[in-house]
Amino acid sequence: MDRSLRNVLVVSLGFLLLFTAYSGLQNLQSSLYSHEGLGVTVLSTLYGAMMLSSMLLPPLLIRALGCKWTIVLAMGCYVAFSLGNFYASWYTLIPTSILLGLGAAPLWSAGSTYLTVAGNAHAESTGQAGRNVVNQYFGIFYLMFQFSGVWGNLISSLVFGQEATKGSGVLAVLLVALFLDPIRDTLHNGDGEKPSVRSTVLSTFQLLRDRRLRLLLLLPMYSGFEQAFMAGDYTRSYVTCALGIRFVGYVMICFSASTGLCSMLYGRVAQYTGRPPLYALGAVTHLSCIVALLLWAPRPNQLPVFFVFSGLWGVADAVWQTQNNVLFGVLFDAHKEAAFATYRMWEALGWVVAFGYSKFLCVHVKLYILLAVLSAATLGYTAVEVLEARARPGPTATATATTAEDGETQTTM
């Protein structure tokens, strides 16, 4: 097996093991620890810490430790949270939720950076286009990662083995620490002086000067919104109300499986279709689902429809998960760590905002908010594609430049 692909599989399997443990715990926080609002407080604290971490830690840790050891350290934060759930109380869950939140952004930023650098390096050695290999790597990663939701929700639905899943986080740490090769971004970090700590910390904010990044910020924010809607509002307001809580895990299994399989598919077909058709597919699919959910009155005798909605939601979610990461890695290649940190910060903001208004707004209002954010995010993405198209030299410009060079050569002769 190619060494680069082996490393991608190690990262992907590590995330699969880690989030098999974590996804089950996250989904059960509000129901397991409802006393005095502990579960809700834990989740709020977690995402608040994640936002703070996104602003400061990822570029700094990746610069100091490299991608591999940043992933290992951040996974340890997740394991600490799992251990806190063995002895659940305010004194164990709040500190460990803060620790997990601080580790979440470096984990995802380091993982995305690793996949991007590995894809570009492999493409350079094999003469392929970098974005195509990176697309394939993210497709493999999200195929395996999303199945953590399948196993986590299956275990939660069958109500067994919670202690065993908590131990899978330890296996994830050991797997990455022992078998993942360190990687180096030779294009940008191979020579020259390392940036100062101050400039590294501020790089996340400095990147906001790029107009393209500002136009794209609603994409990760919408990703947070739509995931929060599926995990919270759809399961509560549609599935639980009509079918009962026992079906929630199975509906989420359908969502995770759909997202995982489509992620793999998009990673393969993106080299033939390009980005815009996939983004169009995601936008149209979610738009159709939102409109249909606004019109639908769920009833218990419509069991297949509940799975159709979760499956279609996953078809579009796979676009945001794979293509957003590839887009940020390709457009901001010289500042990948800062770009992915910004991405995670705005995605976390989407989760926090959606979580914050969840108990105050009815589901129809939430759907209209989703519709508005999706529309604005799509317009921002379209604007970036137009800017990129204008920045690329067209055939006429290339031919003119070639003719000018030939003319200069003939004059010189």
Side-chain angles (χ1 to χ4, degrees), residues 225-262:
F225 270 104
E226 58 92 5
Q227 290 178 78
F229 177 83
M230 175 53 58
D233 297 302
Y234 180 72
T235 55
R236 180 174 60 249
S237 301
Y238 289 88
V239 180
T240 303
C241 286
L243 302 177
I245 195 170
R246 67 186 183 278
F247 282 94
V248 167
Y250 298 111
V251 169
M252 291 304 294
I253 287 172
C254 179
F255 166 74
S256 297
S258 174
T259 302
L261 293 173
C262 288

Side-chain angles (χ1 to χ4, degrees), residues 159-170:
V159 196
F160 70 84
Q162 282 295 324
E163 285 71 22
T165 63
K166 293 172 185 176
S168 69
V170 177

